[in-house]
């Protein structure tokens, strides 16, 4: 656990900040709505597996001139016709068009859910970054305040020595110049801190509540190879890209299904009065099979080639996602090692400079060390402490970035941003049985 910054009694942990960001950030709410909508659009396809029932009716004036079929009294006379009927159709075979439509939409829904998860990882990492950044600036402000106080104390000592005639006025002016520089440094750090607080409020969703603390991320992979392996297996982005590859393949099969016959079972009945110019009641009923087959249709070759290119594009984007993930994993690993080494070096450096400042202070009192030497040592101590704080923050962030590279960061904070119903297994369920996915229940918003 990295030290806690001083502040009010109330506090907000990193876990609480990340969870609040994931619960309130508008972009993530938009991605969640998109994922839910894509599942509902897939559920719409249940209509294609159920009978279609159509009720129809009409009424109006009708005049028929057909002496070969109508009696003399009915022929060429205007009558008020009315009819009511019902038709039902159940598709028996369509070249697997319906099944592939379900596969394609299930893959699309899975992709939306996986993109939601990938967005949640990015947001969790952003929330972690702003949290650590605010914490870093709190420590930097404390360091800058200590630096200013040390210069003011030294400046007062110099003033006393000048009044006593032990130091020239030029030393007092040098001390005043360094005090002003320390004041400017504090102003700049405070401004950067306020900017960090503003970013914190935008990402997390509210202003910082009290002091902060940064625990170390764990568990972390023991080698770069282990990091890359886990990252590739778990990556939501790669999984989403894979679903897009599959979706375009299913779209191609839908086009191929359009070249096959469509067979359906049909039933209908109607009842009417004065239909077709004939007086009296009329009842009709039918039941049987119907086949529709479009033997030839323009544009099929172009459509097939377009779908092949779409699939090729999806494959290329998946390969690109894999390359970018490997690069991110390697850079994250390199950054972690570099930051760990920097923390070790700056910690040792700061310890050495602390001893140097104490030694220079004693020598300055004894008159064997100039004021400029002591002022330079104080400036070096502030610079070393500044570097150490930044390196510690970078090291802490590198650990969490390593979790994000493995798509494990949101889960690390105990968050499942999908919601209980949005599980990215719709494509696999559909492949077992297309109608199985229609059992998916999405609870209403509460």
């Amino acid at each position: 656990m990295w030290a806690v910054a001083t502040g009010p009694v109330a506090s907000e942990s990193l876990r609480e900040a990340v969870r609040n960001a994931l619960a309130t950030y508008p972009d993530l709410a938009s991605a969640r709505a998109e994922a839910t909508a894509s599942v509902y659009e897939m559920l719409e396809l249940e209509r294609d597996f159920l009978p279609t029932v159509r009720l129809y009716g009409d009424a109006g004036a009708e005049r028929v001139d057909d002496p070969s079929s109508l009696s003399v009294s009915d022929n060429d006379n205007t009558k008020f016709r009315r009819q009511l009927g019902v038709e039902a159709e159940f598709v028996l075979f369509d070249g697997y068009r319906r099944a592939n439509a379900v596969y394609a939409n299930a893959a699309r829904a899975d992709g939306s859910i996986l993109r939601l998860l990938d967005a949640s990882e990015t947001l969790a990492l952003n929330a972690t970054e702003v949290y650590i950044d605010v914490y870093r600036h709190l420590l930097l402000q404390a360091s800058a305040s200590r630096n200013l106080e040390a210069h003011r104390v030294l400046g007062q000592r110099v003033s006393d020595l000048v009044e006593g005639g032990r130091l020239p006025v030029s030393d007092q002016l040098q001390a005043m110049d360094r005090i002003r520089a320390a004041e400017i440094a504090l102003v700049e750090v405070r401004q950067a801190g306020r900017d960090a607080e503003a970013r914190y409020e935008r990402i997390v969703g509210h202003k910082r509540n009290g002091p902060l603390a940064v625990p170390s991320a764990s568990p972390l992979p023991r080698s770069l190879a282990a990091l890359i392996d886990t990252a590739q297996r778990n990556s939501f982005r790669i999984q989403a890209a894979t679903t897009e590859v599959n979706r375009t393949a299913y779209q191609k099969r839908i086009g191929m299904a359009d070249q096959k016959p469509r067979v359906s079972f049909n039933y209908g009945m109607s009842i009417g009065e004065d239909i077709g110019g004939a007086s009296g009641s009329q009842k009709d009923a039918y039941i049987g099979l119907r086949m529709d087959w479009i033997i030839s249709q323009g544009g099929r070759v172009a459509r097939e080639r377009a779908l092949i290119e779409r699939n090729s594009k999806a494959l290329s984007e998946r390969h690109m996602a894999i390359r970018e993930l490997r690069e991110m994993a390697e850079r994250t690993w390199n950054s972690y090692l570099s930051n760990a080494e920097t923390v070790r070096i700056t910690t040792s450096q700061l310890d050495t400079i602390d001893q140097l400042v104490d030694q220079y202070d004693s020598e300055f009192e004894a008159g064997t060390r100039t004021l400029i030497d002591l002022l330079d040592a104080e400036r070096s101590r502030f610079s070393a402490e500044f570097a150490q704080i930044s390196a510690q923050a970078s090291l802490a962030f590198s650990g969490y970035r390593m979790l994000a590279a493995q798509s494990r960061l949101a889960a690390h904070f105990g968050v499942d941003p999908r919601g209980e119903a949005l599980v990215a297994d719709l494509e696999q369920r559909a492949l077992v049985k297309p109608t199985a996915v229609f059992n998916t229940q999405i609870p209403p918003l509460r």
Side-chain angles (χ1 to χ4, degrees), residues 237-381:
R237 182 183 174 189
I238 292 177
Q239 292 177 53
T242 301
T243 63
E244 182 61 18
V245 173
N246 296 342
R247 189 190 70 82
T248 56
Y250 298 137
Q251 287 293 133
K252 180 182 177 183
R253 295 180 191 175
I254 292 174
M256 295 170 61
D258 290 341
Q259 303 176 29
K260 297 177 181 178
R262 181 179 183 274
V263 180
S264 61
F265 175 79
N266 296 75
Y267 168 79
M269 63 180 297
S270 64
I271 182 171
E273 293 284 339
D274 299 336
I275 304 298
S279 300
S281 300
Q282 180 178 327
K283 296 180 180 179
D284 291 317
Y286 69 90
I287 184 171
L289 299 177
R290 178 175 178 176
M291 183 188 76
D292 292 310
W293 193 351
I294 301 177
I295 303 298
S296 177
Q297 185 180 44
R300 283 180 172 174
V301 174
R303 180 187 180 186
E304 181 178 352
R305 289 177 178 175
L307 290 171
I308 290 174
E309 294 301 324
R310 295 289 182 191
N311 185 253
S312 177
K313 174 177 179 291
L315 284 168
S316 297
E317 289 178 346
R318 183 179 182 277
H319 292 321
M320 195 68 242
I322 292 173
R323 289 190 181 188
E324 290 177 352
L325 178 69
R326 289 182 62 90
E327 179 192 9
M328 184 184 75
E330 291 187 20
R331 294 179 65 176
T332 299
W333 180 262
N334 295 337
S335 175
Y336 183 80
L337 296 181
S338 175
N339 289 326
E341 184 67 10
T342 301
V343 168
R344 185 190 66 78
I345 294 172
T346 55
T347 300
S348 175
Q349 180 187 30
L350 184 59
D351 182 63
T352 300
I353 293 178
D354 281 338
Q355 297 179 47
L356 181 65
V357 169
D358 292 341
Q359 184 65 32
Y360 275 19
D361 187 83
S362 300
E363 293 175 359
F364 175 70
E365 271 303 314
T368 59
R369 181 67 61 180
T370 65
L371 174 64
I372 193 65
D373 290 337
L374 182 56
L375 291 173
D376 286 344
E378 286 286 359
R379 182 168 58 185
S380 296
R381 175 160 61 181

Side-chain angles (χ1 to χ4, degrees), residues 53-128:
V53 180
R54 183 171 70 94
L55 179 68
Y56 64 91
D58 65 83
E62 182 179 41
R63 188 184 186 93
V64 180
D65 184 7
D66 187 3
S68 63
S69 300
L70 299 175
S71 65
V72 175
S73 59
D74 287 337
N75 189 58
D76 203 20
N77 284 328
T78 301
K79 297 180 179 63
F80 182 71
R81 63 163 288 158
R82 54 270 192 204
Q83 183 181 25
L84 183 66
V86 62
E87 293 179 342
E89 180 185 57
F90 183 73
V91 178
L92 300 176
F93 178 76
D94 62 353
Y96 303 104
R97 188 185 197 284
R98 293 172 299 166
N100 281 289
V102 172
Y103 302 155
N105 278 267
R108 174 175 170 265
D110 281 348
S112 295
I113 296 170
L114 290 164
R115 282 188 288 274
L116 165 63
L117 293 173
D118 187 55
S120 72
E121 289 295 306
T122 300
L123 179 59
L125 187 62
N126 289 341
T128 301

Side-chain angles (χ1 to χ4, degrees), residues 122-135:
T122 300
L123 179 59
L125 187 62
N126 289 341
T128 301
E129 181 180 20
V130 296
Y131 186 99
I132 294 176
D133 194 40
V134 168
Y135 180 75

Side-chain angles (χ1 to χ4, degrees), residues 151-168:
H151 277 79
R152 284 174 174 171
V153 170
L154 181 58
Q156 184 59 51
R157 288 172 57 193
V158 171
S159 296
D160 293 341
L161 293 173
V162 169
E163 290 179 3
R166 293 182 57 188
L167 290 177

